Amino acid sequence: MAVDPLIELSGVNKYYGELHVLQDVDLTVGRGEVVVVIGPSGSGKSTLCRTMNRLETIESGTISIDGQPLPEEGRALATLRAEVGMVFQSFNLFAHKTVLANVSLAQTKVRGRKKDEADKRSRELLERVGLEDQADKLPAQLSGGQQQRVAIARALAMDPKVMLFDEPTSALDPEMINEVLEVMQQLARDGMTMVVVTHEMGFARSAANRVVFMADGRIVEDRTPEGFFTAPESDRAKDFLSKILKH
Ligand SMILES: Nc1ncnc2c1ncn2[C@@H]1O[C@H](COP(=O)(O)OP(=O)(O)O)[C@@H](O)[C@H]1O
Ligand SMILES: [Mg+2]
């Protein structure tokens, strides 16, 4: 288990109006750990991710990253957003900038790197995600799987302490899913701390240290993948697994 916690959520509650979307959430993610979050649509998985880099505020409880409570605003918040890399279902690349410029932009703006230095780092990261020969193209000239790998490189360029992935392969055609999962597998093997919302059970089984199952804004199970998939404890998880493992 997590001996050296990097992310700690304790008693976190969040509401959208009347909707109690996160209910007494406690979650610890250790340094170098890969935690896969699964659960039905609307259970609060995206909201959970978004609270961890303060894209969403919370009503009560505490969240800390590397021992520091999440900052509220200003420069500290910009630093936090850089340290907590986020990859969404939609890639959100700048359409009129090259792949290289997309990866370099925040490095110069947020990390204060010189353009040459940023571009050098970008090329290293593009190589790491298998796209070194695509640097001068525009996003639209790439496949969805390639664009998602650019988005991963862009997040890595900020030297994040943790990477959050919110259904990174859900918008991709089936033949492109594996190329993205392989990049994520490699990141995991390299020791990156990762929180991954995904329905890719193969990835969960092979890469996750723990599976967190959410339902109705609560963490219902927090287990090893082996334990969760072979012997889910809750009816909600049994029901969910029977539905997704059927096809
Ligand atoms: N900005 C928002 N305003 C109001 N309700 C929201 C907002 N974002 C999400 N919700 C609601 O919160 C619940 C959890 O959403 P979400 O975290 O996106 O779930 P998941 O990612 O597990 O599908 C859902 O009922 C959703 O409709
Ligand atoms: Mg979601």
Side-chain angles (χ1 to χ4, degrees):
M1 274 296 285
V3 280
D4 181 11
L6 184 58
I7 307 176
E8 284 186 289
L9 285 81
S10 174
V12 169
N13 284 282
K14 174 167 184 68
Y15 295 81
Y16 287 122
E18 301 276 283
L19 182 67
H20 195 174
V21 62
L22 295 178
Q23 305 189 26
D24 299 318
V25 169
D26 296 319
L27 177 68
T28 303
V29 181
R31 213 175 293 270
E33 219 179 4
V34 177
V35 172
V36 163
V37 180
I38 66 174
S41 178
S43 56
K45 306 180 299 294
S46 294
T47 305
L48 179 72
C49 281
R50 292 165 61 84
T51 61
M52 290 187 213
N53 65 356
R54 224 170 181 287
L55 285 172
E56 298 288 350
T57 55
I58 57 176
E59 270 68 53
S60 66
T62 57
I63 303 178
S64 63
I65 308 255
D66 214 2
Q68 302 293 317
L70 293 194
E72 309 246 309
E73 56 191 11
R75 212 178 155 68
L77 184 57
T79 305
L80 170 83
R81 296 258 165 83
E83 285 178 348
V84 181
M86 183 120 190
V87 175
F88 302 92
Q89 188 174 322
S90 54
F91 331 120
N92 300 318
L93 300 173
F94 289 106
H96 303 292
K97 292 191 185 291
T98 64
V99 163
L100 184 73
N102 266 282
V103 181
S104 290
L105 189 65
Q107 293 183 66
T108 53
K109 291 225 187 300
V110 180
R111 286 300 200 202
R113 289 181 192 148
K114 297 216 165 58
K115 187 175 174 300
D116 285 1
E117 194 190 339
D119 284 349
K120 182 165 176 283
R121 177 84 176 121
S122 298
R123 288 186 192 280
E124 286 166 10
L125 288 165
L126 286 170
E127 189 176 346
R128 191 161 163 198
V129 300
L131 294 173
E132 61 276 20
D133 48 357
Q134 309 293 324
D136 301 320
K137 292 194 178 162
L138 292 172
Q141 296 174 283
L142 271 54
S143 72
Q146 290 174 320
Q147 290 186 56
Q148 190 60 298
R149 286 186 281 149
V150 174
I152 294 172
R154 176 182 57 183
L156 291 174
M158 307 305 283
D159 303 321
K161 288 180 175 169
V162 51
M163 287 280 285
L164 307 179
F165 293 86
D166 190 1
E167 303 205 29
T169 60
S170 295
L172 299 178
D173 291 332
E175 73 271 22
M176 293 168 192
I177 291 176
N178 278 339
E179 67 191 49
V180 172
L181 293 178
E182 274 161 25
V183 166
M184 292 165 62
Q185 289 270 15
Q186 188 57 52
L187 259 185
R189 282 195 292 269
D190 291 344
M192 178 62 76
T193 306
M194 294 163 58
V195 176
V196 183
V197 179
T198 185
H199 296 300
E200 294 295 331
M201 297 301 130
F203 177 85
R205 273 179 179 271
S206 61
N209 299 100
R210 276 158 54 214
V211 171
V212 164
F213 176 74
M214 285 188 77
D216 299 331
R218 287 182 187 278
I219 292 182
V220 179
E221 299 199 30
D222 182 346
R223 316 265 308 276
T224 63
E226 179 65 18
F228 180 74
F229 289 114
T230 55
E233 280 164 1
S234 60
D235 289 341
R236 292 300 299 264
K238 283 177 197 162
D239 181 54
F240 178 78
L241 285 175
S242 75
K243 282 181 184 136
I244 58 162
L245 297 177
K246 238 177 248 163
H247 42 249

